[in-house]
Amino acid sequence: QVTLVESGGGSVQAGGSLKLSCVVSGNAYSSFCMGWFRLVPGKEREGVAHIDTVGRTTYGESVKGRFTISKDNAKNILYLQMNSLKSEDTAMYYCAADRGQLGCAGGVQRPWGYNDWGRGTQVTVSS
């Protein structure tokens, strides 16, 4: 099991930017597939972005072209750069780690494939 700690959330006006970080414990981070998800009370969890072990990325439809996921394997940190924020991006954002050894079980449409989750960081976008 690994520990994930998100940070970087906050309040921002529509059109602004935020960069979320997720620090991951453990020595095998470079072999993890990683993802970002978000949750709004009363709605289903939404996959935001996913990155595999060689840096290939996928995004949820609602954030394509605005959000960028990246990994720093030297620092064990996952990032989510969020630009052109909209009020509908308001949510609790969670990072997740997929420690599987046979490719990525997790993905933006496969939250069950992730082994470990952080506690989240709140993002609030005002219009």
Side-chain angles (χ1 to χ4, degrees):
Q1 186 175 359
V2 300
T3 302
L4 298 86
V5 180
E6 302 95 335
S7 63
S11 297
V12 64
Q13 289 198 331
S17 298
L18 282 175
K19 186 173 185 177
L20 305 184
S21 299
C22 172
V23 178
V24 183
S25 68
N27 298 321
Y29 175 67
S30 62
S31 68
F32 296 169
C33 302
M34 299 293 297
W36 286 99
F37 288 78
R38 64 188 183 186
L39 184 63
V40 176
K43 294 187 177 181
E44 291 201 5
R45 178 173 47 189
E46 180 184 5
V48 175
H50 171 85
I51 187 167
D52 70 8
T53 58
V54 294
R56 289 174 297 206
T57 58
T58 54
Y59 295 92
E61 286 296 323
S62 63
V63 306
K64 279 183 180 178
R66 300 188 297 121
F67 290 11
T68 303
I69 187 172
S70 61
K71 289 180 74 185
D72 185 331
N73 288 331
K75 296 182 179 179
N76 277 30
I77 300 178
L78 177 73
Y79 298 104
L80 184 69
Q81 177 67 48
M82 304 186 296
N83 299 328
S84 301
L85 282 161
K86 306 175 181 179
S87 57
E88 51 263 44
D89 295 319
T90 295
M92 185 73 80
Y93 284 73
Y94 299 86
C95 63
D98 171 3
R99 294 182 276 113
Q101 298 298 310
L102 298 176
C104 298
V108 291
Q109 302 295 335
R110 303 188 303 276
W112 55 85
Y114 294 91
N115 307 105
D116 305 282
W117 295 78
R119 293 189 175 186
T121 186
Q122 177 68 37
V123 172
T124 302
V125 184
S126 56
S127 56

